Amino acid sequence: SAVISQKPSRDICQRGTSLTIQCQVDSQVTMMFWYRQQPGQSLTLIATANQGSEATYESGFVIDKFPISRPNLTFSTLTVSNMSPEDSSIYLCSVEDVVTSGQGRETQYFGPGTRLLVL
Amino acid sequence: AQKITQTQPGMFVQEKEAVTLDCTYDTSDPSYGLFWYKQPSSGEMIFLIYQGSYDQQNATEGRYSLNFQKARKSANLVISASQLGDSAMYFCAMNHPGGYNKLIFGAGTRLAVHP
């Protein structure tokens, strides 16, 4: 399965500032996904990032608040802009890959996440 | 609308016993995938097991098995011979292949394994 890393692993930020989260994959992948997990909650998809095109955002998420870049097939960034305490969450990137056992189906593998605290 | 429901906020199990975590889903699409992920306190999401809607047999991966009952729209995770390291949050999720394969997650179940 793909190996995914994220930077930073955690950060504490002041309100009104912005933070860019990096996601690096050890193999070329077509689709990358960015999720948010608010404290005590489940995961919610922010957007899907394809190389060479603009990201596709889910309802409730906008590009001005969460700009995404996808310069190549192994890398993506998510920026959390003009942060407020409500943005305190774990942000996870994921990629599609083929399950390495069983029937060879595709699934999503996740990076280790970025824990963000906004004061 | 597509939806995943996990009705058990928390579960307890004795070490070495088996435990079943419930998951029901709702979709009108005949083609879908069902997934289970484990999230330890470290926050990472660990893929456990996958079941396709057209698969005839229940999926198994080591100590994990998926009890897939299509007519009831349920996809329960069974963990056999529980270990202390199984204590974590468990999320059920669904996607619809063919489009872009975003995952829809349930609310999760927190499993505590007692010695």
Side-chain angles (χ1 to χ4, degrees), chain B residues 50-109:
Chain B
Y50 166 89
Q51 179 84 43
S53 59
Y54 295 118
D55 293 343
Q56 296 297 314
Q57 293 187 329
N58 288 344
T60 61
E61 291 287 347
R63 294 187 297 111
Y64 305 107
S65 61
L66 200 151
N67 184 3
F68 181 46
Q69 298 187 42
K70 195 170 183 177
R72 298 180 60 185
K73 292 189 175 180
S74 73
N76 299 338
L77 176 71
V78 180
I79 305 175
S80 63
S82 297
Q83 302 172 355
L84 296 179
D86 294 334
S87 295
M89 281 291 288
Y90 288 81
F91 291 96
C92 180
M94 175 173 64
N95 76 350
H96 289 81
Y100 65 99
N101 298 331
K102 70 176 185 178
L103 286 172
I104 300 169
F105 284 86
T109 296

Side-chain angles (χ1 to χ4, degrees), chain A:
Chain A
S1 62
V3 177
I4 306 164
S5 60
Q6 284 186 234
K7 289 182 182 179
S9 59
R10 59 178 64 229
D11 206 343
I12 301 174
C13 301
Q14 297 297 319
R15 67 175 67 203
T17 63
S18 297
L19 176 72
T20 295
I21 302 168
Q22 299 178 6
C23 180
Q24 180 76 52
V25 190
D26 69 341
S27 58
Q28 294 185 340
V29 294
T30 303
M31 299 172 71
M32 296 179 76
F33 304 85
W34 286 99
Y35 289 83
R36 180 177 74 179
Q37 186 178 25
Q38 294 177 301
Q41 302 293 315
S42 186
L43 278 73
T44 302
L45 181 66
I46 298 172
T48 303
N50 290 333
Q51 193 265 340
S53 63
E54 283 197 2
T56 302
Y57 289 83
E58 296 298 303
S59 175
F61 297 97
V62 295
I63 187 171
D64 290 346
K65 176 67 175 177
F66 298 101
I68 288 172
S69 77
R70 182 79 200 274
N72 57 53
L73 292 174
T74 63
F75 187 78
S76 178
T77 67
L78 169 75
T79 298
V80 186
S81 303
N82 188 24
M83 288 184 286
S84 67
E86 291 72 33
D87 294 319
S88 298
S89 298
I90 299 175
Y91 292 86
L92 299 109
C93 70
S94 74
V95 304
E96 280 194 325
D97 200 355
V98 176
V99 178
T100 53
S101 62
Q103 300 177 25
R105 302 297 179 89
E106 289 186 337
T107 188
Q108 286 188 28
Y109 292 94
F110 285 81
T114 296
R115 289 180 183 268
L116 172 60
L117 176 63
V118 183
L119 302 178

